[in-house]
Amino acid sequence: PNDLSRRAWSMLAVALLTAAAFLPTLSGSFLNWDDNVNFLDNPAYRGLGREQVRWAFTSVSFGHYIPLTRLSWSLNWVLGGMDPWGYHLVNVLLHAANAVLVYFVAGRLLAAASADGAQAGRREPDLCAAAAVAALVFGVHPLRVEPVAWITGRADLLCALFVLLTTLAYL
């Protein structure tokens, strides 16, 4: 296969394997930790109207200022109400997207570290495989369970998304 299809298959494999590792989280519910404050007892995020957007940008519940996370919860509520399945699904999809971004970042770093640029074309399959392994280590690592399985952990997933996009833009 050519380089483009090799990369496409690698990205797809990384996304699917990462998502598959976290499919059990879809059956999770809201947790009796802080989900009661963030979701169950909190009508402020329910919707995408002026009041909900104002709340997202002015609230500092638990001392956290996370307006994009709160807006994403509002969008979740608009699309699926109080069903935790949709909130968990968004977290799984965000994490799979982050794993694909790690694939790109690892690929860029590995290509840059390649000793001989003239030989890079011959090493493309090796770089592609190495980037996929790096992305899968990130994607299925047990340390990723908390932000993916815990709905409130979406702030970490969004932070990772923007850090990875920024890193990729820099590279």
Side-chain angles (χ1 to χ4, degrees), residues 23-165:
L23 281 180
T25 67
L26 297 179
S27 64
S29 61
F30 292 112
L31 299 177
N32 191 16
W33 178 253
D34 62 357
D35 286 351
N36 56 335
V37 174
N38 285 317
F39 305 106
L40 301 175
D41 302 331
N42 180 14
Y45 84 97
R46 298 178 188 168
L48 281 172
R50 182 182 184 133
E51 285 302 308
Q52 291 83 15
V53 172
R54 185 187 66 72
W55 172 80
F57 281 96
T58 59
S59 174
V60 288
S61 297
F62 290 110
H64 298 288
Y65 181 70
I66 49 174
L68 295 180
T69 301
R70 291 191 170 107
L71 285 175
S72 76
W73 295 339
S74 293
L75 181 59
N76 256 130
W77 188 86
V78 167
L79 296 175
M82 291 301 293
D83 185 356
W85 184 86
Y87 296 83
H88 286 294
L89 178 63
V90 170
N91 282 11
V92 169
L93 294 175
L94 279 169
H95 182 58
N98 286 342
V100 170
L101 288 171
V102 168
Y103 170 81
F104 282 119
V105 169
R108 294 262 178 96
L109 291 172
L110 289 166
S114 172
D116 183 3
Q119 298 295 324
R122 285 191 223 153
R123 286 196 299 260
E124 179 66 27
D126 294 337
L127 292 175
C128 200
V133 168
L136 283 172
V137 167
F138 170 85
V140 301
H141 197 282
L143 284 175
R144 303 285 61 86
V145 172
E146 183 178 331
V148 178
W150 184 30
I151 297 170
T152 302
R154 184 171 304 169
D156 297 345
L157 298 171
L158 288 171
C159 178
L161 178 79
F162 291 115
V163 165
L164 290 164
L165 285 170

